[in-house]
Amino acid sequence: MAQKVEIVIDGKTVEMPVLEAAEGLNVIDVRGLIKEGMFTFDPGFLSTASCDSRVTYIDGDNGILLYRGYPIEQLAENSSHLEVCYLLLNGELPTQAQLDAFIGDINERMPLDDHFKHIFDGFTENSHPMSMVCAAIAGLASLFHEQLDISDAGYRKEAALQLIAKIPTISAMAYKKSIGEDFVEPDPSLNYAENFLHMCFGKRGEAPNISPTLSKALDKIFILHADHEQNASTSTVRMAGSTECNPFAAIAAGTAALWGPSHGGANEAVLDMLLEIGDVSKIEEYVEKAKDKDDPFKLMGFGHRVYKNFDPRATVMQSSAHAVLEEQGASNDPLLEVAQNLEKIAREQDYFIDRKLYPNIDFYSGITLKAMGIPIPMFTVLFTLGRMPGWITHWTEMVANPFKIARPRQLYLGEHKRDYTNIENR
Ligand code: SDX
Protein backbone atom coordinates (compact mmCIF):
# COMPACT_ATOMS: atom_id res chain seq x y z
CA MET A 1 0.00 0.00 0.00
CA ALA A 2 1.64 3.28 -1.12
CA GLN A 3 2.31 5.50 1.87
CA LYS A 4 1.20 9.13 2.04
CA VAL A 5 1.19 12.04 4.49
CA GLU A 6 -1.40 14.70 5.04
CA ILE A 7 -0.96 18.36 5.98
CA VAL A 8 -3.70 20.92 6.48
CA ILE A 9 -3.28 24.18 4.56
CA ASP A 10 -5.86 26.89 5.28
CA GLY A 11 -8.27 24.24 6.51
CA LYS A 12 -7.75 22.03 3.43
CA THR A 13 -6.21 18.58 3.93
CA VAL A 14 -3.47 18.07 1.36
CA GLU A 15 -2.17 14.55 0.70
CA MET A 16 1.41 14.02 -0.42
CA PRO A 17 2.85 10.67 -1.48
CA VAL A 18 5.77 9.06 0.39
CA LEU A 19 8.40 7.57 -1.92
CA GLU A 20 10.08 4.48 -0.48
CA ALA A 21 13.89 4.22 -0.29
CA ALA A 22 15.82 1.02 -1.04
CA GLU A 23 17.97 1.93 1.99
CA GLY A 24 17.65 4.77 4.50
CA LEU A 25 15.00 7.44 4.81
CA ASN A 26 11.82 7.56 2.72
CA VAL A 27 10.88 10.93 1.24
CA ILE A 28 7.74 13.05 1.12
CA ASP A 29 7.13 14.01 -2.51
CA VAL A 30 6.32 17.73 -2.19
CA ARG A 31 6.34 18.48 -5.92
CA GLY A 32 2.58 19.13 -5.88
CA LEU A 33 2.81 21.64 -3.04
CA ILE A 34 3.22 24.62 -5.40
CA LYS A 35 -0.33 23.96 -6.64
CA GLU A 36 -1.48 24.48 -3.04
CA GLY A 37 0.24 27.88 -3.03
CA MET A 38 3.12 26.89 -0.74
CA PHE A 39 6.91 26.27 -0.92
CA THR A 40 8.97 24.17 1.49
CA PHE A 41 11.79 26.03 3.28
CA ASP A 42 15.11 24.26 3.95
CA PRO A 43 18.24 26.46 3.63
CA GLY A 44 21.32 24.20 3.54
CA PHE A 45 19.04 21.30 2.55
CA LEU A 46 19.26 19.53 5.93
CA SER A 47 15.93 17.75 5.33
CA THR A 48 15.80 17.79 1.56
CA ALA A 49 16.48 15.06 -1.00
CA SER A 50 17.41 16.89 -4.22
CA CYS A 51 17.19 13.82 -6.46
CA ASP A 52 16.95 10.05 -6.51
CA SER A 53 20.18 8.11 -7.08
CA ARG A 54 21.57 4.58 -7.21
CA VAL A 55 25.25 5.43 -6.82
CA THR A 56 26.19 5.81 -3.14
CA TYR A 57 24.47 5.19 0.17
CA ILE A 58 25.47 6.79 3.49
CA ASP A 59 24.07 5.87 6.91
CA GLY A 60 25.37 8.72 9.06
CA ASP A 61 24.27 7.25 12.40
CA ASN A 62 25.97 3.90 11.83
CA GLY A 63 29.00 5.09 9.84
CA ILE A 64 28.08 3.15 6.70
CA LEU A 65 29.29 4.15 3.21
CA LEU A 66 28.43 1.96 0.19
CA TYR A 67 29.54 2.56 -3.42
CA ARG A 68 26.98 0.73 -5.60
CA GLY A 69 26.26 -1.44 -2.51
CA TYR A 70 29.89 -2.34 -1.70
CA PRO A 71 31.20 -1.21 1.75
CA ILE A 72 33.99 1.37 1.55
CA GLU A 73 36.14 -0.69 3.94
CA GLN A 74 36.10 -3.70 1.55
CA LEU A 75 36.81 -1.55 -1.51
CA ALA A 76 39.67 0.28 0.25
CA GLU A 77 41.18 -3.07 1.27
CA ASN A 78 40.67 -5.09 -1.93
CA SER A 79 40.04 -2.80 -4.89
CA SER A 80 41.93 -0.12 -6.83
CA HIS A 81 40.87 3.43 -7.71
CA LEU A 82 40.34 2.64 -11.40
CA GLU A 83 38.30 -0.46 -10.52
CA VAL A 84 36.17 1.77 -8.23
CA CYS A 85 35.83 4.30 -11.08
CA TYR A 86 34.51 1.48 -13.30
CA LEU A 87 32.15 0.33 -10.52
CA LEU A 88 30.72 3.82 -9.95
CA LEU A 89 30.27 4.50 -13.66
CA ASN A 90 28.85 1.10 -14.66
CA GLY A 91 27.14 -0.06 -11.47
CA GLU A 92 28.97 -3.43 -11.33
CA LEU A 93 32.53 -4.56 -10.59
CA PRO A 94 34.44 -5.31 -13.84
CA THR A 95 35.71 -8.66 -15.05
CA GLN A 96 39.47 -8.76 -15.58
CA ALA A 97 38.96 -8.17 -19.31
CA GLN A 98 36.66 -5.21 -18.67
CA LEU A 99 39.12 -3.72 -16.17
CA ASP A 100 42.08 -4.17 -18.52
CA ALA A 101 40.13 -2.46 -21.32
CA PHE A 102 39.11 0.39 -18.99
CA ILE A 103 42.70 0.91 -17.83
CA GLY A 104 43.78 1.00 -21.47
CA ASP A 105 41.08 3.58 -22.25
CA ILE A 106 42.31 5.75 -19.38
CA ASN A 107 46.01 5.40 -20.17
CA GLU A 108 45.58 6.44 -23.80
CA ARG A 109 43.72 9.59 -22.71
CA MET A 110 46.11 10.69 -19.92
CA PRO A 111 48.44 12.87 -22.08
CA LEU A 112 47.39 16.51 -22.50
CA ASP A 113 47.33 18.22 -25.90
CA ASP A 114 50.64 20.11 -26.27
CA HIS A 115 48.90 23.38 -27.13
CA PHE A 116 46.57 23.01 -24.13
CA LYS A 117 49.50 22.81 -21.72
CA HIS A 118 50.08 26.53 -22.34
CA ILE A 119 47.03 27.19 -20.11
CA PHE A 120 49.48 26.93 -17.22
CA ASP A 121 51.63 29.74 -18.71
CA GLY A 122 48.94 32.16 -17.60
CA PHE A 123 49.66 31.43 -13.94
CA THR A 124 52.50 32.61 -11.71
CA GLU A 125 54.48 30.04 -9.73
CA ASN A 126 52.76 31.04 -6.49
CA SER A 127 49.25 30.56 -7.91
CA HIS A 128 47.24 28.14 -5.77
CA PRO A 129 47.14 24.77 -7.60
CA MET A 130 43.36 24.61 -7.18
CA SER A 131 42.99 27.79 -9.26
CA MET A 132 45.02 26.16 -12.04
CA VAL A 133 43.10 22.88 -11.81
CA CYS A 134 39.72 24.65 -11.86
CA ALA A 135 40.72 26.61 -14.96
CA ALA A 136 42.20 23.59 -16.74
CA ILE A 137 39.09 21.44 -16.17
CA ALA A 138 36.88 24.20 -17.59
CA GLY A 139 39.39 24.56 -20.41
CA LEU A 140 38.96 20.90 -21.38
CA ALA A 141 35.53 21.96 -22.68
CA SER A 142 37.39 23.76 -25.47
CA LEU A 143 38.93 20.46 -26.59
CA PHE A 144 35.68 18.49 -26.64
CA HIS A 145 32.97 21.02 -27.44
CA GLU A 146 32.23 20.24 -31.09
CA GLN A 147 30.96 16.76 -30.26
CA LEU A 148 28.82 18.07 -27.35
CA ASP A 149 25.67 15.94 -27.23
CA ILE A 150 24.75 15.02 -23.69
CA SER A 151 21.88 12.86 -24.94
CA ASP A 152 24.38 10.53 -26.62
CA ALA A 153 25.67 7.68 -24.42
CA GLY A 154 28.89 7.53 -26.41
CA TYR A 155 29.59 11.22 -25.79
CA ARG A 156 28.82 10.82 -22.07
CA LYS A 157 31.21 7.84 -21.81
CA GLU A 158 33.98 9.73 -23.62
CA ALA A 159 33.58 12.73 -21.33
CA ALA A 160 33.88 10.43 -18.28
CA LEU A 161 37.01 8.74 -19.65
CA GLN A 162 38.61 12.07 -20.56
CA LEU A 163 38.01 13.57 -17.09
CA ILE A 164 39.21 10.53 -15.13
CA ALA A 165 42.24 10.22 -17.42
CA LYS A 166 43.27 13.87 -17.49
CA ILE A 167 42.73 14.93 -13.88
CA PRO A 168 46.00 13.30 -12.66
CA THR A 169 47.95 14.93 -15.50
CA ILE A 170 46.38 18.35 -14.94
CA SER A 171 46.93 18.06 -11.18
CA ALA A 172 50.57 17.07 -11.56
CA MET A 173 51.17 19.86 -14.08
CA ALA A 174 49.67 22.38 -11.64
CA TYR A 175 52.13 21.10 -9.03
CA LYS A 176 55.10 21.24 -11.41
CA LYS A 177 54.11 24.80 -12.39
CA SER A 178 53.97 25.79 -8.71
CA ILE A 179 57.56 24.59 -8.15
CA GLY A 180 58.89 25.84 -11.49
CA GLU A 181 59.83 22.40 -12.81
CA ASP A 182 59.32 20.86 -16.27
CA PHE A 183 56.18 18.80 -16.81
CA VAL A 184 56.63 15.01 -16.75
CA GLU A 185 54.54 13.01 -19.22
CA PRO A 186 52.34 10.11 -18.00
CA ASP A 187 53.96 6.65 -18.27
CA PRO A 188 51.46 3.93 -19.33
CA SER A 189 53.63 1.27 -17.68
CA LEU A 190 52.61 2.69 -14.28
CA ASN A 191 49.28 2.29 -12.47
CA TYR A 192 47.08 5.32 -11.83
CA ALA A 193 48.49 6.38 -8.45
CA GLU A 194 52.10 5.58 -9.45
CA ASN A 195 51.64 7.69 -12.59
CA PHE A 196 50.40 10.65 -10.56
CA LEU A 197 53.36 10.41 -8.15
CA HIS A 198 55.76 10.04 -11.10
CA MET A 199 54.32 13.11 -12.87
CA CYS A 200 54.62 15.08 -9.61
CA PHE A 201 57.94 13.96 -8.16
CA GLY A 202 59.73 12.45 -11.17
CA LYS A 203 62.07 14.40 -13.43
CA ARG A 204 61.65 14.68 -17.19
CA GLY A 205 63.69 11.95 -18.95
CA GLU A 206 64.33 9.98 -15.76
CA ALA A 207 62.96 6.48 -15.05
CA PRO A 208 60.11 6.32 -12.54
CA ASN A 209 61.11 5.62 -8.93
CA ILE A 210 57.92 5.19 -6.90
CA SER A 211 57.50 3.77 -3.39
CA PRO A 212 54.93 0.92 -3.49
CA THR A 213 53.78 1.88 0.03
CA LEU A 214 53.11 5.47 -1.01
CA SER A 215 51.37 4.59 -4.28
CA LYS A 216 49.18 2.00 -2.51
CA ALA A 217 48.31 4.50 0.23
CA LEU A 218 47.53 7.18 -2.37
CA ASP A 219 45.35 4.81 -4.38
CA LYS A 220 43.45 4.02 -1.16
CA ILE A 221 43.03 7.76 -0.50
CA PHE A 222 41.57 8.18 -4.00
CA ILE A 223 39.13 5.31 -3.34
CA LEU A 224 38.02 6.89 -0.03
CA HIS A 225 37.30 10.20 -1.80
CA ALA A 226 35.66 8.75 -4.94
CA ASP A 227 32.05 9.60 -4.09
CA HIS A 228 29.82 10.74 -1.24
CA GLU A 229 26.21 11.07 -2.52
CA GLN A 230 24.81 14.62 -2.70
CA ASN A 231 27.57 16.62 -0.96
CA ALA A 232 27.98 20.30 -1.84
CA SER A 233 30.31 19.83 -4.81
CA THR A 234 28.35 16.93 -6.30
CA SER A 235 25.14 18.91 -5.89
CA THR A 236 26.88 21.79 -7.68
CA VAL A 237 27.80 19.48 -10.57
CA ARG A 238 24.16 18.34 -10.78
CA MET A 239 22.80 21.89 -10.60
CA ALA A 240 25.20 23.19 -13.24
CA GLY A 241 24.63 20.10 -15.39
CA SER A 242 20.85 20.56 -15.17
CA THR A 243 21.21 23.54 -17.55
CA GLU A 244 22.50 21.06 -20.18
CA CYS A 245 25.93 22.76 -20.15
CA ASN A 246 29.15 21.08 -21.26
CA PRO A 247 30.07 18.34 -18.68
CA PHE A 248 33.57 19.79 -18.29
CA ALA A 249 32.00 23.10 -17.29
CA ALA A 250 29.70 21.34 -14.79
CA ILE A 251 32.66 19.50 -13.24
CA ALA A 252 34.67 22.75 -13.08
CA ALA A 253 31.79 24.23 -11.07
CA GLY A 254 31.94 21.27 -8.69
CA THR A 255 35.71 21.71 -8.37
CA ALA A 256 35.24 25.34 -7.37
CA ALA A 257 32.67 24.30 -4.74
CA LEU A 258 34.98 21.62 -3.34
CA TRP A 259 37.71 24.24 -2.74
CA GLY A 260 35.91 25.80 0.23
CA PRO A 261 37.37 25.04 3.72
CA SER A 262 33.96 23.80 4.90
CA HIS A 263 34.17 21.08 2.23
CA GLY A 264 37.16 19.67 0.36
CA GLY A 265 39.41 22.56 1.36
CA ALA A 266 39.25 21.26 4.93
CA ASN A 267 42.21 18.89 4.49
CA GLU A 268 44.48 21.84 3.71
CA ALA A 269 42.84 23.84 6.53
CA VAL A 270 43.48 20.97 8.99
CA LEU A 271 47.22 21.16 8.37
CA ASP A 272 47.19 24.97 8.57
CA MET A 273 45.36 24.62 11.91
CA LEU A 274 47.76 21.98 13.28
CA LEU A 275 50.72 24.13 12.22
CA GLU A 276 49.12 27.16 13.94
CA ILE A 277 48.49 25.17 17.14
CA GLY A 278 52.07 23.92 16.82
CA ASP A 279 52.38 22.21 20.17
CA VAL A 280 50.24 20.04 22.46
CA SER A 281 50.48 22.73 25.15
CA LYS A 282 48.34 25.06 23.03
CA ILE A 283 45.56 22.57 22.23
CA GLU A 284 43.26 23.56 25.12
CA GLU A 285 43.43 27.22 24.04
CA TYR A 286 42.29 26.31 20.51
CA VAL A 287 39.61 23.93 21.70
CA GLU A 288 38.17 26.79 23.76
CA LYS A 289 38.29 29.05 20.69
CA ALA A 290 36.37 26.40 18.73
CA LYS A 291 33.68 26.33 21.41
CA ASP A 292 33.42 30.12 21.62
CA LYS A 293 30.37 31.29 19.63
CA ASP A 294 31.96 34.71 19.24
CA ASP A 295 35.08 33.21 17.69
CA PRO A 296 34.79 32.13 14.02
CA PHE A 297 37.52 29.51 14.58
CA LYS A 298 36.35 25.92 14.03
CA LEU A 299 38.26 22.69 14.54
CA MET A 300 38.93 21.86 10.91
CA GLY A 301 38.47 18.18 10.15
CA PHE A 302 35.77 17.86 12.80
CA GLY A 303 32.04 17.51 12.23
CA HIS A 304 29.95 16.34 9.33
CA ARG A 305 26.44 17.05 8.06
CA VAL A 306 25.67 13.34 7.76
CA TYR A 307 28.08 11.32 9.93
CA LYS A 308 27.07 11.70 13.58
CA ASN A 309 29.18 8.97 15.18
CA PHE A 310 32.20 8.42 13.00
CA ASP A 311 33.29 8.83 9.37
CA PRO A 312 34.18 5.32 8.17
CA ARG A 313 36.68 6.85 5.78
CA ALA A 314 38.53 8.53 8.67
CA THR A 315 38.90 5.12 10.32
CA VAL A 316 40.48 3.64 7.17
CA MET A 317 42.54 6.79 6.66
CA GLN A 318 43.89 6.63 10.23
CA SER A 319 45.28 3.12 9.68
CA SER A 320 46.69 4.16 6.32
CA ALA A 321 48.34 7.17 7.96
CA HIS A 322 50.24 4.96 10.40
CA ALA A 323 51.64 2.79 7.56
CA VAL A 324 52.86 5.84 5.65
CA LEU A 325 54.26 7.58 8.73
CA GLU A 326 56.08 4.37 9.64
CA GLU A 327 57.68 4.07 6.20
CA GLN A 328 58.53 7.75 6.08
CA GLY A 329 60.05 7.55 9.56
CA ALA A 330 57.62 10.29 10.62
CA SER A 331 55.79 8.35 13.32
CA ASN A 332 56.94 10.91 15.83
CA ASP A 333 55.88 13.85 13.64
CA PRO A 334 54.95 16.55 16.19
CA LEU A 335 51.91 17.39 14.05
CA LEU A 336 50.67 13.82 14.47
CA GLU A 337 51.09 14.19 18.23
CA VAL A 338 49.10 17.44 18.14
CA ALA A 339 46.41 15.77 15.99
CA GLN A 340 46.11 12.73 18.23
CA ASN A 341 45.92 14.85 21.39
CA LEU A 342 43.46 17.25 19.78
CA GLU A 343 41.20 14.36 18.79
CA LYS A 344 41.41 12.86 22.30
CA ILE A 345 40.64 16.14 24.07
CA ALA A 346 37.80 17.04 21.67
CA ARG A 347 36.20 13.63 22.05
CA GLU A 348 36.11 14.05 25.85
CA GLN A 349 34.39 17.43 25.87
CA ASP A 350 30.61 17.84 26.10
CA TYR A 351 30.61 20.63 23.46
CA PHE A 352 31.78 18.14 20.81
CA ILE A 353 29.96 15.10 22.19
CA ASP A 354 26.61 16.96 22.42
CA ARG A 355 26.98 18.20 18.83
CA LYS A 356 28.24 14.81 17.58
CA LEU A 357 31.43 16.36 16.21
CA TYR A 358 33.94 13.65 15.33
CA PRO A 359 36.99 13.63 13.04
CA ASN A 360 35.98 13.40 9.37
CA ILE A 361 38.00 12.16 6.41
CA ASP A 362 39.89 15.43 6.16
CA PHE A 363 41.33 15.21 9.68
CA TYR A 364 43.64 12.29 8.90
CA SER A 365 43.99 12.69 5.14
CA GLY A 366 45.97 15.89 5.65
CA ILE A 367 48.45 14.22 8.02
CA THR A 368 48.85 11.25 5.66
CA LEU A 369 49.37 13.44 2.61
CA LYS A 370 51.91 15.57 4.46
CA ALA A 371 53.80 12.42 5.54
CA MET A 372 53.81 11.37 1.86
CA GLY A 373 55.58 14.60 0.96
CA ILE A 374 52.52 16.07 -0.78
CA PRO A 375 52.68 19.89 -0.37
CA ILE A 376 49.77 21.30 1.65
CA PRO A 377 48.38 23.45 -1.23
CA MET A 378 48.00 20.22 -3.25
CA PHE A 379 45.74 18.51 -0.67
CA THR A 380 42.44 19.70 -2.15
CA VAL A 381 43.74 18.95 -5.63
CA LEU A 382 44.08 15.32 -4.53
CA PHE A 383 40.52 15.43 -3.18
CA THR A 384 39.46 16.71 -6.63
CA LEU A 385 41.35 13.85 -8.30
CA GLY A 386 39.74 11.27 -6.02
CA ARG A 387 36.20 12.72 -6.36
CA MET A 388 36.26 12.97 -10.16
CA PRO A 389 34.57 9.58 -10.77
CA GLY A 390 31.80 10.43 -8.33
CA TRP A 391 31.09 13.77 -9.96
CA ILE A 392 30.99 12.42 -13.51
CA THR A 393 28.90 9.42 -12.40
CA HIS A 394 26.26 11.69 -10.83
CA TRP A 395 26.30 13.95 -13.90
CA THR A 396 25.82 10.87 -16.11
CA GLU A 397 23.05 9.45 -13.90
CA MET A 398 21.19 12.76 -14.14
CA VAL A 399 21.52 13.51 -17.87
CA ALA A 400 20.97 9.88 -18.96
CA ASN A 401 17.45 10.07 -17.49
CA PRO A 402 14.65 12.64 -17.79
CA PHE A 403 15.67 15.70 -15.74
CA LYS A 404 14.55 19.27 -15.13
CA ILE A 405 16.63 22.42 -14.71
CA ALA A 406 17.31 23.01 -11.01
CA ARG A 407 15.54 26.22 -10.09
CA PRO A 408 14.82 26.60 -6.33
CA ARG A 409 12.40 29.27 -5.05
CA GLN A 410 12.69 31.45 -1.91
CA LEU A 411 10.99 32.95 1.13
CA TYR A 412 10.86 36.63 0.10
CA LEU A 413 11.36 39.07 3.00
CA GLY A 414 12.14 42.17 1.00
CA GLU A 415 10.25 45.41 0.26
CA HIS A 416 6.63 45.50 -0.84
CA LYS A 417 5.94 47.02 -4.28
CA ARG A 418 6.76 50.77 -4.27
CA ASP A 419 7.07 53.51 -6.92
CA TYR A 420 10.29 55.03 -8.24
CA THR A 421 11.10 58.48 -6.81
CA ASN A 422 13.18 60.97 -8.76
CA ILE A 423 16.51 61.79 -7.22
CA GLU A 424 15.52 65.35 -6.36
CA ASN A 425 12.72 63.96 -4.20
CA ARG A 426 14.80 61.43 -2.15
C1 SDX B 1 33.72 17.18 3.67
O1 SDX B 1 28.94 16.50 2.73
C2 SDX B 1 29.90 15.70 2.55
O2 SDX B 1 29.71 14.51 2.35
C3 SDX B 1 31.28 16.32 2.56
C4 SDX B 1 32.45 15.35 2.49
C5 SDX B 1 32.52 14.64 1.17
O3 SDX B 1 33.14 13.56 1.11
O4 SDX B 1 32.05 15.23 0.15
O5 SDX B 1 32.35 14.40 3.54
C6 SDX B 1 33.78 16.09 2.64
O6 SDX B 1 33.44 18.29 3.33
C7 SDX B 1 33.93 16.83 5.12
C8 SDX B 1 33.73 18.07 6.07
C9 SDX B 1 35.00 18.90 6.02
N1 SDX B 1 34.81 20.20 6.69
C10 SDX B 1 35.41 20.44 7.88
O7 SDX B 1 36.08 19.63 8.51
C11 SDX B 1 35.23 21.89 8.35
C12 SDX B 1 34.84 21.91 9.84
N2 SDX B 1 33.48 21.38 9.99
C13 SDX B 1 32.39 22.32 10.01
O8 SDX B 1 32.55 23.39 9.13
C14 SDX B 1 31.03 21.61 9.96
O9 SDX B 1 31.08 20.58 10.86
C15 SDX B 1 30.52 21.07 8.64
C16 SDX B 1 30.50 22.11 7.56
C17 SDX B 1 31.35 19.92 8.18
C18 SDX B 1 29.09 20.58 8.87
O10 SDX B 1 28.30 21.71 9.13
P1 SDX B 1 26.73 21.58 9.48
O11 SDX B 1 26.25 20.17 9.27
O12 SDX B 1 26.01 22.67 8.79
O13 SDX B 1 26.69 21.77 11.05
P2 SDX B 1 26.58 23.18 11.76
O14 SDX B 1 27.57 24.15 11.17
O15 SDX B 1 25.15 23.56 11.82
O16 SDX B 1 27.13 22.82 13.24
C19 SDX B 1 26.26 22.31 14.25
C20 SDX B 1 26.87 22.84 15.56
C21 SDX B 1 27.02 24.36 15.60
O17 SDX B 1 26.99 24.75 16.95
P3 SDX B 1 25.56 25.31 17.55
O18 SDX B 1 25.18 26.49 16.70
O19 SDX B 1 24.59 24.14 17.44
O20 SDX B 1 25.90 25.66 18.98
O21 SDX B 1 28.21 22.31 15.71
C22 SDX B 1 29.14 23.40 15.70
C23 SDX B 1 28.42 24.58 15.08
O22 SDX B 1 29.00 25.81 15.55
N3 SDX B 1 30.27 22.95 14.87
C24 SDX B 1 31.55 23.13 15.15
C25 SDX B 1 32.27 22.50 14.14
N4 SDX B 1 31.41 21.97 13.24
C26 SDX B 1 30.17 22.26 13.71
N5 SDX B 1 32.16 23.77 16.19
C27 SDX B 1 33.52 23.76 16.18
N6 SDX B 1 34.30 23.15 15.22
C28 SDX B 1 33.69 22.53 14.20
N7 SDX B 1 34.43 21.93 13.24
Side-chain angles (χ1 to χ4, degrees):
M1 161 84 165
Q3 291 182 54
K4 59 180 185 291
V5 295
E6 294 178 345
I7 59 170
V8 178
I9 300 176
D10 298 335
K12 177 188 171 189
T13 300
V14 177
E15 278 190 5
M16 285 179 278
V18 171
L19 306 181
E20 203 164 320
E23 289 273 3
L25 300 186
N26 295 336
V27 300
I28 300 171
D29 184 346
V30 296
R31 285 175 287 187
L33 204 52
I34 181 75
K35 289 200 298 289
E36 306 299 336
M38 279 271 188
F39 295 146
T40 59
F41 184 66
D42 186 17
F45 309 121
L46 286 93
S47 301
T48 293
S50 59
C51 63
D52 59 48
S53 179
R54 290 166 173 74
V55 180
T56 291
Y57 173 67
I58 303 174
D59 176 338
D61 292 332
N62 298 300
I64 292 171
L65 170 57
L66 309 177
Y67 291 167
R68 297 289 190 181
Y70 294 98
I72 190 66
E73 297 84 355
Q74 293 181 25
L75 292 170
E77 186 58 34
N78 304 302
S79 188
S80 67
H81 186 60
L82 283 188
E83 183 174 78
V84 166
C85 290
Y86 184 99
L87 169 66
L88 288 170
L89 282 168
N90 297 285
E92 297 295 339
L93 288 167
T95 61
Q96 188 62 57
Q98 288 168 329
L99 180 59
D100 293 345
F102 184 71
I103 291 170
D105 285 343
I106 296 296
N107 279 338
E108 72 183 62
R109 292 167 173 81
M110 284 190 85
L112 266 184
D113 170 287
D114 280 337
H115 186 74
F116 185 82
K117 290 173 188 170
H118 291 295
I119 196 168
F120 294 100
D121 295 346
F123 293 94
T124 59
E125 278 190 18
N126 58 10
S127 299
H128 196 290
M130 276 299 284
S131 58
M132 296 190 240
V133 168
C134 256
I137 291 172
L140 288 177
S142 67
L143 300 180
F144 308 105
H145 195 72
E146 291 64 47
Q147 314 89 324
L148 178 62
D149 177 2
I150 65 173
S151 68
D152 175 65
Y155 174 83
R156 295 196 296 264
K157 180 182 175 189
E158 182 61 24
L161 292 173
Q162 289 292 351
L163 282 158
I164 292 169
K166 288 187 164 48
I167 190 61
T169 313
I170 285 170
S171 302
M173 286 184 176
Y175 172 60
K176 283 296 198 190
K177 173 70 186 186
S178 70
I179 59 174
E181 280 191 13
D182 290 339
F183 297 152
V184 173
E185 291 302 315
D187 177 339
S189 70
L190 302 174
N191 70 36
Y192 196 73
E194 288 169 341
N195 229 333
F196 174 71
L197 290 169
H198 171 56
M199 290 189 282
C200 282
F201 302 118
K203 295 286 184 283
R204 184 178 288 180
E206 290 182 7
N209 175 22
I210 308 295
S211 148
T213 306
L214 296 193
S215 59
K216 185 160 176 46
L218 188 60
D219 195 76
K220 189 178 284 190
I221 289 172
F222 292 155
I223 290 172
L224 295 173
H225 286 81
D227 192 48
H228 216 234
E229 59 134 278
Q230 306 310 320
N231 59 83
S233 54
T234 301
S235 299
T236 302
V237 169
R238 281 181 173 260
M239 178 165 274
S242 76
T243 69
E244 299 180 64
C245 70
N246 183 303
F248 301 93
I251 299 287
T255 306
L258 185 77
W259 196 359
S262 290
H263 189 15
N267 52 17
E268 179 177 348
V270 165
L271 258 292
D272 293 342
M273 173 186 72
L274 294 176
L275 289 165
E276 185 182 337
I277 293 174
D279 181 86
V280 291
S281 63
K282 291 180 62 188
I283 288 176
E284 283 290 353
E285 171 197 335
Y286 277 86
V287 169
E288 289 313 307
K289 278 170 62 73
K291 291 154 59 174
D292 179 354
K293 284 291 153 236
D294 298 325
D295 190 325
F297 175 78
K298 287 191 171 177
L299 282 191
M300 303 316 283
F302 276 77
H304 198 278
R305 172 62 60 77
V306 179
Y307 291 124
K308 296 306 177 190
N309 284 312
F310 66 95
D311 181 337
R313 304 167 298 174
T315 309
V316 177
M317 185 67 75
Q318 198 175 11
S319 62
S320 190
H322 289 306
V324 170
L325 289 162
E326 200 67 39
E327 179 182 88
Q328 298 295 85
S331 297
N332 56 358
D333 182 341
L335 286 185
L336 178 66
E337 190 188 7
V338 171
Q340 288 170 328
N341 280 272
L342 178 62
E343 178 184 1
K344 183 175 177 300
I345 291 168
R347 279 177 179 273
E348 290 162 355
Q349 303 218 358
D350 290 344
Y351 174 92
F352 297 91
I353 296 166
D354 297 347
R355 292 167 179 80
K356 299 180 181 290
L357 302 176
Y358 300 90
N360 57 50
I361 188 169
D362 294 300
F363 188 70
Y364 277 98
S365 65
I367 295 159
T368 311
L369 294 173
K370 180 179 177 297
M372 295 173 71
I374 306 284
I376 295 175
M378 283 291 289
F379 287 7
T380 309
V381 169
L382 266 68
F383 197 144
T384 303
L385 203 165
R387 184 54 52 89
M388 188 58 72
W391 286 335
I392 193 65
T393 296
H394 281 278
W395 174 82
T396 302
E397 181 178 59
M398 180 180 74
V399 302
N401 297 292
F403 66 98
K404 299 178 80 64
I405 190 168
R407 205 290 186 202
R409 302 304 300 276
Q410 63 180 8
L411 170 65
Y412 177 69
L413 299 177
E415 296 291 340
H416 298 292
K417 182 173 175 290
R418 53 182 173 165
D419 294 328
Y420 180 83
T421 48
N422 294 329
I423 194 160
E424 58 274 13
N425 301 327
R426 291 173 203 160

